[in-house]
Amino acid sequence: QSRGHVAGSGCAMAGPQLSELPDHSELLAPALGSLRRGALLLGDLAGVGSFSDGFLLKFLRARDFDVELALKLLLNYQRWRKESPEISGCLSPSSVLGLLHTSYHAVLPQRDRAGSRVLVYRIGQWRPGDWSAFQVFRVSLMTSEIISMETETQRRGLKVIFDLEGWSLGHALQINPFLARKISSVLSDSFPLKVRGIHLVNEPVFFRPVFAMIRPFLSEKMRQRIHMHGADFQDSLSDFFPPSVLPPEYGGEGPGIEEACQDWTDRLLQSEALLQQIARHPTGDIAVTPEDPLDSGAETLPISDG
C-alpha cells in the first residue's frame, strides 16, 4: 500500500480526499482494515481485543489516511495513556468542577474560517494552591477526547488561545520537565487531533523559562505554529480569527468568555459517563449523543454501544 493512498478501493484517492468522505463510505474500508490489522499485530497493543471504526477513523484523519503514520500515532496514544495514569485514568469532569467553574476553559461555539475548533485557556483562573498541574492537564485531555469524536474536527483540527494574564511563580513551579514532555507529546505526536495553531496572549517575561522547557520537545512544524501576541494582542489575533468567532474580551463579536466557559463546562458534565467509559476502554464502541448543540452542522461518529 502506498503512503497516502488506499489500495484495492477501485481508485486511488489521496489522503485528504479520503478524509472528506463520510464515515460510512465503503471507500474507507481498505484503510480501516489495514490499520486494524496493523494495530492487532503490534505487541504493545496485543491486549486490546478490538478497535471500532469510529476510534480508528480519528487516527486516519489525523494523518490524512497515511496508514503507516496513523498506526504510529495510535501506538503513541496508547503508550501515552498507559504511562500517564495520573492524567488519563480519571476522566471525570465533576472531579475538577471547582476549576471549571472559575471560567478557566472554553471551546468557542463557532469554528474559524478553516473550520477549526477554537479552544481558550485562561491560565490566571487556575490557582496552583487549589489545583495541581495534573488536574489542569486532565481538563485538556477530557476536551480533546470529546472534540476528537467530531468528524469536522478530525478534518479541520483545532487552534488554541492561551491567555497568560495572571501567570505567576506558583504556576511556573508546577511545570517540570516531566510534565513538559507529556504536554509536548500530546501537542505533537500522541493524540489524534491536528493542532493548527497555538496563540499566546498576555504572556509575561517570566513565562519564557517555562516555554524554553517545553520547546525542545516540540516538532519544528509545531514550533512554527506558535504565535506570541503579548498584551496588545487584539489586532494581531484578528489576523488569525474572524470577529464572529472570538469573545469581546479578545476583540471579537462572539459570546462573552464567561458564557462560553459555562457552556463548555455544561457540555463536559453532560459527557461524564462517556468520558469515564473512554478512560476504561478508549478503543471500543462508545455510545455518543447524535446532536451536538455547540457544533451545529458538524457530523458525529456513527458509533454504537458495545
Side-chain angles (χ1 to χ4, degrees), residues 220-236:
E220 184 57 35
K221 181 188 290 186
M222 190 56 59
R223 291 176 195 172
Q224 292 174 1
R225 291 178 178 175
I226 296 174
H227 307 273
M228 294 193 174
H229 298 270
D232 189 18
F233 58 82
Q234 295 199 358
D235 285 345
S236 59

Side-chain angles (χ1 to χ4, degrees), residues 142-168:
M142 288 188 285
T143 287
S144 297
E145 290 286 4
I146 293 297
I147 65 174
S148 73
M149 301 180 85
E150 301 167 353
T151 301
E152 193 65 8
T153 304
Q154 293 170 13
R155 292 172 178 147
R156 313 295 172 215
L158 63 94
K159 291 169 186 157
V160 189
I161 298 171
F162 288 103
D163 185 345
L164 292 157
E165 184 177 11
W167 176 267
S168 68

Side-chain angles (χ1 to χ4, degrees), residues 21-186:
L21 295 176
D23 299 338
H24 53 77
S25 171
E26 292 182 1
L27 293 176
L28 304 183
L32 282 166
S34 182
L35 180 56
R36 181 176 283 110
R37 286 191 298 273
L40 291 173
L41 287 172
L42 283 175
D44 295 68
L45 303 175
V48 180
S50 64
F51 296 90
S52 70
D53 285 357
F55 178 78
L56 294 177
L57 275 171
K58 296 193 293 186
F59 295 87
L60 287 165
R61 284 202 174 103
R63 292 298 180 262
D64 288 326
F65 276 79
D66 184 317
V67 175
E68 183 181 333
L69 292 180
L71 182 59
K72 181 180 179 182
L73 178 63
L74 171 55
L75 181 58
N76 288 345
Y77 170 82
Q78 292 292 97
R79 283 177 177 167
W80 190 94
R81 288 185 61 98
K82 188 176 181 180
E83 294 168 2
S84 310
E86 69 282 359
I87 301 170
S88 63
C90 174
L91 299 182
S92 168
S94 59
S95 71
V96 288
L97 189 55
L99 174 62
L100 291 169
H101 277 164
T102 66
S103 300
Y104 160 73
H105 170 53
V107 176
L108 301 184
Q110 297 294 321
R111 296 174 179 272
D112 74 354
R113 295 185 186 95
S116 299
R117 275 293 207 179
V118 182
L119 285 58
V120 178
Y121 292 92
R122 305 167 76 207
I123 303 302
Q125 304 300 110
W126 162 32
R127 295 185 299 273
D130 296 337
W131 304 98
S132 72
F134 289 114
Q135 290 171 308
V136 172
F137 199 165
R138 199 179 297 150
V139 171
S140 299
L141 188 60
M142 288 188 285
T143 287
S144 297
E145 290 286 4
I146 293 297
I147 65 174
S148 73
M149 301 180 85
E150 301 167 353
T151 301
E152 193 65 8
T153 304
Q154 293 170 13
R155 292 172 178 147
R156 313 295 172 215
L158 63 94
K159 291 169 186 157
V160 189
I161 298 171
F162 288 103
D163 185 345
L164 292 157
E165 184 177 11
W167 176 267
S168 68
L169 180 60
H171 294 106
L173 292 174
Q174 291 260 1
I175 312 296
N176 56 37
F178 173 76
L179 190 61
R181 187 177 291 109
K182 287 186 179 295
I183 293 170
S184 60
S185 292
V186 168

